[in-house]
């Protein structure tokens, strides 16, 4: 039989070792959950060993620590990438995962850039679906909550050469997350400080690699210490608006011809190609109610629109919060107040409601895949 393990692992080879009853943990109250602190009872693990022909058989096992060689490349050169997607328990009790095909495509692009092995995304989706089924009681029952899925791929060769890793570990862990918008103000204030850059041309800002995220943590806490919730990442001498925290950014405004426009930065290598971003672009193009543009946006333009009362809304988009309205931006010593939440029937709210309806099965839609 043809051996394709260099190309991919297969769901049909998946085996499951269930946790013993005394290993199962109590499910938390999701209303009090902070993101990423509690994990489900099982995990998925798939090794890649070039010497052994490539991908090994996928296994689901009780959640456990990982043991690594101290020289493992991931620990020294951040040979690592990950994805983030969610499973939702619908009004009909069925569990749906939102557009996993896009996450799998992005994960393979990241793997390629990291010199790590690629795989058939549909096979990983099927293995992850099985993991979610095993831990299905970890998918919260309250609407607005969800189960976050974190597939991760790391280079594990125990050798210090800055070279392609010949062995790798792909694993997936799951954590329940509460309703992002329960309590508190839903809109965010931002710090835009041009001295920091998240990504640059020719870099890896458009790949979901851990090495993009570590250096943002200190900037994020600087923003927090100034009373701002997120960082607005700028790029270049003209202070291009690129992303907000770990979200893509949208701006809804009235152009010089009096037309309403929804604009977002282009996929020019500086931003992550977000699944929510792609979905919002497609939905709003289908609405045919205003212009939809992918183009470079600068802080000058934001300020000009704001000063002439033509800036209607700014919001971030991402798997974590779906759509997050922006209330203010601290920029060059000034606080810009953005009127995002001050309109009747704002676009950000409609988008959130439409995506919510798809994810929680209020409407049937091909983007939400029942597992
Ligand atoms: N930008 C960055 C830097 C991110 O980490 C994320 C989260 N994956 C996003 C944008 C939003 O992407 P998505 O809609 O796929 O969650």
């Amino acid at each position: 039989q043809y051996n394709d393990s260099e190309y991919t692992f297969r769901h049909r080879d998946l085996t499951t070792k269930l946790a013993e009853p005394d290993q199962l943990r109590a499910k938390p109250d999701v209303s009090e959950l902070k993101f990423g602190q509690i994990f489900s009872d099982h995990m998925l693990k798939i090794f890649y060993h070039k010497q052994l022909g490539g991908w090994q058989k996928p296994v689901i096992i009780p959640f456990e620590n990982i043991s690594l060689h101290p020289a493992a490349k991931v620990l020294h050169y951040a040979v690592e990438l990950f994805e983030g997607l969610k499973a939702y328990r619908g009004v009909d009790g069925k569990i749906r995962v939102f557009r996993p095909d896009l996450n799998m495509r992005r994960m393979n692009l990241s793997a390629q850039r990291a010199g790590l092995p690629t795989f058939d995304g549909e096979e990983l989706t099927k293995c992850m679906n099985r993991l979610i089924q095993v831990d299905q009681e970890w998918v919260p029952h309250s609407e607005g909550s969800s189960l976050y899925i974190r597939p991760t791929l790391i280079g594990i060769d125990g050798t210090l050469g800055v070279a392609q890793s010949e062995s790798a570990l792909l694993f997936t862990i799951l954590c329940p997350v509460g309703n992002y918008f329960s309590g508190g103000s839903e809109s965010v204030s931002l710090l835009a400080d041009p001295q920091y850059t998240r990504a640059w041309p020719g870099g890896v800002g458009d790949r979901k690699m851990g090495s993009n995220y570590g250096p943002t943590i200190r900037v994020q806490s600087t923003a927090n210490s100034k009373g701002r919730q997120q960082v607005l990442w700028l790029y270049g001498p003209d202070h291009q608006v690129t992303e907000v925290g770990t979200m893509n950014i949208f701006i809804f405004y009235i152009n010089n011809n009096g037309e309403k426009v929804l604009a977002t930065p282009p996929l020019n290598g500086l931003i992550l190609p977000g699944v929510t971003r792609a979905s919002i672009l497609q939905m709003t193009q289908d609405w045919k109610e205003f212009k939809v543009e992918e183009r470079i946006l600068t802080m000058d333009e934001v300020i000009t629109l704001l000063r002439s009362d033509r800036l209607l809304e700014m919001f971030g988009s991402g798997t974590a919060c779906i759509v997050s309205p922006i209330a203010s931006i601290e920029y060059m010593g000034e606080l810009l107040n953005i009127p995002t939440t001050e309109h009747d029937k704002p676009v950000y709210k409609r988008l959130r409601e439409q995506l919510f309806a798809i994810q929680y099965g209020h409407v049937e839609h091909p983007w939400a895949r029942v597992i």
Side-chain angles (χ1 to χ4, degrees):
Q1 203 189 349
Y2 171 62
N3 178 355
D4 62 355
S5 67
E6 264 300 323
Y7 166 63
T8 193
F9 48 83
R10 296 285 176 196
H11 167 258
R12 61 165 186 255
D13 297 326
L14 174 66
T15 55
T16 302
K17 177 174 179 277
L18 293 178
E20 297 297 329
D22 63 340
Q23 288 179 293
L24 300 177
R25 279 162 295 178
K27 315 266 180 315
D29 174 0
V30 285
S31 66
E32 293 175 358
L33 270 188
K34 282 202 182 134
F35 173 73
Q37 299 201 335
I38 306 273
F39 296 90
S40 74
D41 290 317
H42 296 85
M43 66 192 292
L44 170 71
K45 259 173 128 174
I46 315 168
F47 281 98
Y48 176 94
H49 293 296
K50 195 159 188 211
Q51 255 79 27
L52 300 176
W55 287 107
Q56 308 296 298
K57 292 180 176 171
V59 292
I60 288 171
I61 55 169
F63 191 94
E64 63 173 22
N65 287 347
I66 289 171
S67 167
L68 293 175
H69 191 287
K73 291 198 195 297
V74 59
L75 300 177
H76 299 268
Y77 311 123
V79 182
E80 195 268 2
L81 59 100
F82 62 99
E83 269 303 325
L85 60 166
K86 280 179 169 178
Y88 305 85
R89 189 180 296 279
V91 276
D92 52 2
K94 290 180 186 163
I95 297 170
R96 291 173 176 78
V97 179
F98 189 72
R99 308 194 77 178
D101 47 321
L102 296 192
N103 293 90
M104 292 300 99
R105 195 187 303 162
R106 191 168 70 189
M107 190 169 179
N108 269 310
L109 288 170
S110 300
Q112 227 166 35
R113 188 66 168 82
L116 286 170
T118 55
F119 51 88
D120 184 330
E122 191 57 27
E123 298 291 334
L124 181 57
T125 300
K126 285 192 276 188
C127 292
M128 292 194 306
N129 287 353
R130 177 73 194 128
L131 176 67
I132 297 161
Q133 276 162 356
V134 168
D135 279 342
Q136 57 180 283
E137 273 316 304
W138 285 88
V139 185
H141 285 263
S142 58
E143 204 171 54
S145 305
S146 55
L147 186 72
Y148 183 78
I149 308 165
R150 170 53 67 86
T152 309
L153 179 58
I154 60 178
I156 59 171
D157 274 11
T159 53
L160 287 177
V162 184
Q164 192 152 355
S165 192
E166 299 201 336
S167 51
L169 172 61
L170 197 174
F171 61 90
T172 301
I173 51 180
L174 308 172
C175 49
V177 287
N179 191 339
Y180 208 84
F181 297 107
S182 56
S185 158
E186 61 159 8
S187 55
V188 291
S189 66
L190 312 179
L191 174 68
D193 186 339
Q195 74 171 306
Y196 302 113
T197 297
R198 193 197 80 95
W200 42 89
V204 293
D206 58 348
R207 301 289 176 256
K208 208 162 166 63
M209 294 181 174
S211 57
N212 284 332
Y213 293 80
T216 66
I217 292 168
R218 182 63 197 268
V219 187
Q220 171 68 31
S221 34
T222 304
N224 294 154
S225 68
K226 294 183 166 199
R228 314 285 163 234
Q229 280 131 335
Q230 300 276 344
V231 177
L232 176 57
W233 295 102
L234 304 179
Y235 172 76
D238 55 350
H239 300 174
Q240 293 171 27
V241 170
T242 61
E243 297 197 87
V244 48
T246 57
M247 293 184 281
N248 294 116
I249 192 163
F250 284 84
I251 168 168
F252 187 54
Y253 66 97
I254 298 171
N255 71 10
N256 290 333
N257 301 328
E259 301 162 310
K260 285 187 178 162
V261 182
L262 181 70
T264 194
L267 300 181
N268 58 2
L270 298 180
I271 67 164
L272 197 80
V275 174
T276 322
R277 176 189 178 279
S279 305
I280 288 174
L281 285 175
Q282 196 165 327
M283 283 159 55
T284 49
Q285 276 155 4
D286 290 347
W287 292 354
K288 294 188 171 54
E289 290 177 25
F290 43 76
K291 286 192 158 172
V292 180
E293 293 178 355
E294 292 174 73
R295 64 178 183 81
I296 287 173
L297 305 160
T298 63
M299 279 309 293
D300 264 357
E301 187 178 355
V302 169
I303 290 168
T304 305
L305 289 170
L306 190 63
R307 300 260 189 270
S308 55
D309 287 331
R310 288 185 292 133
L311 180 52
L312 302 173
E313 301 175 37
M314 286 180 82
F315 53 87
S317 78
T319 298
C321 62
I322 310 183
V323 174
S324 179
I326 294 166
S328 62
I329 305 172
E330 181 184 333
Y331 173 66
M332 311 281 271
E334 203 185 337
L335 191 65
L336 309 169
N337 285 308
I338 315 295
T340 311
T341 59
E342 294 166 19
H343 310 283
D344 254 3
K345 299 200 178 78
V347 167
Y348 84 86
K349 219 170 217 170
R350 266 175 80 191
L351 285 166
R352 181 196 292 165
E353 283 163 7
Q354 197 161 323
L355 286 164
F356 193 95
I358 294 171
Q359 288 160 343
Y360 290 93
H362 291 276
V363 294
E364 279 305 326
H365 195 287
W367 287 352
R369 277 173 50 175
V370 174
I371 68 161

